[in-house]
């Protein structure tokens, strides 16, 4: 049993800031919170938080750990005047040359850096068309070794190998779902059913995913309408809006995560809301790819924040999401984006059969602990403003996942420098393989 003493306890939904709070943890769960609890739990190990901010763990709702070795990439990249050329010239070349070593280090380093930036969980979306079988188990290894909670899936597509590639992608999703099924209680990682985007998924692929959904009970994780091309392709080839096409195959439910969705029609958004699906909004990625702005954010019942592979700094992502919305003349205020940050916990609750996102008894002990000294009062009413205009990931002191400190006093419990050395070597070899594709 562990007692975190003298916390400044922070919750996002509803916003709450409380001083001098003790948090008692046993196993993976919070068992009690309140003031002066040491006398009630004399057997507990005590860690004095010295009034650090203790908050429910931050969740990244959409990421691509396979891109972790692309930072500062030196492989030759042809000009990319639009989004589709960016996919073809950069990302679809990188994912084709991933091997087991580069994928392992990419996933492990991304997991470590997510933790260092305050994340306790990441919802990942994977692609490696020449390394399909076993790829999710390799990513799983990185999650577990780092101590990060999360989900992952393989992005089913036919863009490289037609029907055989579709089948292999679906089989990998099913195999991974079966692998983690035995870890329903206590395991850190769960499975989604991955799909790239409707424009690289023929009806045969959607049929396969529906059958996989029936077999596994897992939800769909897919990019939709990131670019206008996805919409026009769906209209031209299928005579349907992309969300309606997915719904035609029965693929939308409360476990569904739809990434981006910039160019949906209002009735498609209403349909997503009816099905209980979650939008993963990726503000920085949308800006980087110049695909436009999601002006319909206020219309979603459930929206969460992701990064689409641009790290896992959710403090930074919240700021960009807020400032871009403000720049676009949107009506929301920072509290709406703080709620989106909280909503990553809703995804976890729908997949982990546990409670997340609050500092209360029976909730999972996934915690982000920060040093944050403010020149102004930190109150329940202005918490969102502190997140939008002040606090950042440099304040992260410690991170707890499932009741275990995986990062404490800005230090991991093992030496990470050799891992970074190996990752740099793997990245160099990866870039050489990309260059050799030309």
């Amino acid at each position: 049993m562990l007692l975190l003493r003298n916390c400044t306890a922070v919750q996002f939904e509803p916003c709450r800031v409380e001083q001098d709070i003790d948090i008692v943890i046993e196993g993976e769960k919070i068992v009690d919170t309140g003031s002066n609890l040491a006398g009630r739990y004399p057997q507990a190990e005590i860690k004095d938080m010295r009034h650090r901010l203790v908050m429910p763990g931050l969740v990244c709702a959409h990421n691509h750990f396979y891109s972790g070795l692309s930072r500062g990439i030196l492989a030759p990249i042809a000009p990319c005047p639009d989004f589709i050329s960016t996919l073809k010239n950069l990302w679809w070349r990188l994912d084709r040359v991933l091997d087991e070593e580069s994928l392992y280090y990419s996933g492990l380093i991304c997991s470590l850096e997510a933790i260092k930036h305050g994340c306790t969980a990441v919802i990942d979306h994977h692609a490696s068309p020449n390394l399909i079988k076993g790829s999710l188990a390799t990513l799983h290894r990185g999650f577990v070794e780092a101590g990060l909670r999360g989900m992952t899936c393989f992005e089913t597509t036919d863009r490289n190998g037609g029907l055989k590639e579709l089948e292999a992608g679906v089989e990998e999703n099913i195999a991974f779902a079966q692998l983690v099924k035995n870890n329903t209680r206590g395991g850190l990682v769960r499975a989604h059913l991955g799909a790239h985007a409707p424009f690289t998924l023929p009806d045969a692929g959607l049929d396969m995913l529906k059958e996989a959904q029936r077999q596994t009970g897992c939800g769909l994780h897919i990019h939709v309408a990131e670019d206008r091309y996805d919409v026009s392709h769906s209209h031209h080839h299928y005579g349907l809006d992309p969300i309606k096409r997915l719904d035609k195959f029965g693929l939308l439910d409360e476990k569904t995560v739809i990434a981006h969705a910039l160019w949906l029609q209002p009735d498609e958004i209403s349909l997503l809301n009816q099905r209980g699906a979650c939008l993963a909004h990726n503000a920085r990625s949308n800006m980087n790819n110049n695909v436009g702005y999601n002006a319909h954010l206020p219309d979603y019942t459930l929206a969460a924040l992701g990064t689409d592979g641009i790290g896992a700094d959710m403090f930074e992502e919240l700021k960009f999401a807020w400032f871009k919305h403000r720049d676009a003349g949107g009506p929301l205020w920072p509290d709406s984006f703080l709620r989106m940050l909280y909503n990553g916990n809703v995804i976890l609750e729908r997949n982990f059969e546990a409670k997340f996102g609050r500092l209360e008894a029976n909730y999972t002990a996934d915690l982000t602990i920060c040093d944050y000294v403010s020149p102004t009062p930190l109150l329940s009413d202005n918490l969102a403003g502190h997140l939008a205009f002040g606090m950042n990931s440099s304040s992260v002191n410690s991170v707890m996942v499932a009741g275990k400190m995986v990062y404490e006093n800005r230090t991991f419990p093992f030496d990470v420098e050799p891992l970074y050395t190996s990752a740099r070597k793997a990245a160099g070899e990866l870039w050489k393989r990309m260059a050799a594709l030309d």
Side-chain angles (χ1 to χ4, degrees), residues 354-366:
K355 293 182 177 182
F356 292 88
R358 299 187 191 279
L359 304 181
E360 298 176 10
N362 297 318
Y363 277 76
T364 304
D366 286 7

Side-chain angles (χ1 to χ4, degrees), residues 25 33 47 56 149 264 300 325 355 365 367 414:
I25 297 155
T33 63
K47 289 183 181 287
R149 185 184 303 280
L264 300 187
Y300 285 89
H325 182 78
K355 293 182 177 182
L367 306 176
F414 49 85

Side-chain angles (χ1 to χ4, degrees), residues 254-272:
E254 289 190 344
K255 290 185 176 181
T256 302
V257 175
I258 302 292
H260 301 288
L262 274 71
W263 303 107
L264 300 187
Q265 296 299 312
D267 57 348
E268 291 181 276
I269 297 171
S270 295
L271 182 56
L272 286 177

Side-chain angles (χ1 to χ4, degrees), residues 390-412:
M391 197 182 310
N392 58 57
S393 60
S394 68
S395 69
V396 176
N397 175 277
S398 303
V399 173
M400 174 181 286
V401 178
K404 179 182 178 181
M405 286 291 192
V406 297
Y407 183 70
E408 189 169 13
N409 295 322
R410 294 182 167 82
T411 302
F412 288 99

Side-chain angles (χ1 to χ4, degrees), residues 343-362:
N343 282 341
N345 291 286
V346 177
I347 300 174
L348 297 183
E349 288 195 333
R350 292 177 176 182
N351 290 277
F352 277 82
E353 302 84 39
K355 293 182 177 182
F356 292 88
R358 299 187 191 279
L359 304 181
E360 298 176 10
N362 297 318

Side-chain angles (χ1 to χ4, degrees), residues 198 203 206 220 222-225 230-231 234-235 238-252 256 258 261 263-275 277:
D203 284 353
L206 298 184
L220 181 68
I222 184 173
H223 307 101
V224 181
D230 200 16
V231 178
S234 187
H235 289 168
Y238 304 102
L240 288 170
D241 290 323
I243 290 297
K244 292 179 180 178
R245 181 171 169 241
L246 295 176
D247 192 59
K248 175 184 174 182
F249 285 83
L251 288 167
L252 304 179
T256 302
I258 302 292
W263 303 107
L264 300 187
Q265 296 299 312
D267 57 348
E268 291 181 276
I269 297 171
S270 295
L271 182 56
L272 286 177
N273 291 339
Q274 290 170 25
R275 299 292 184 257

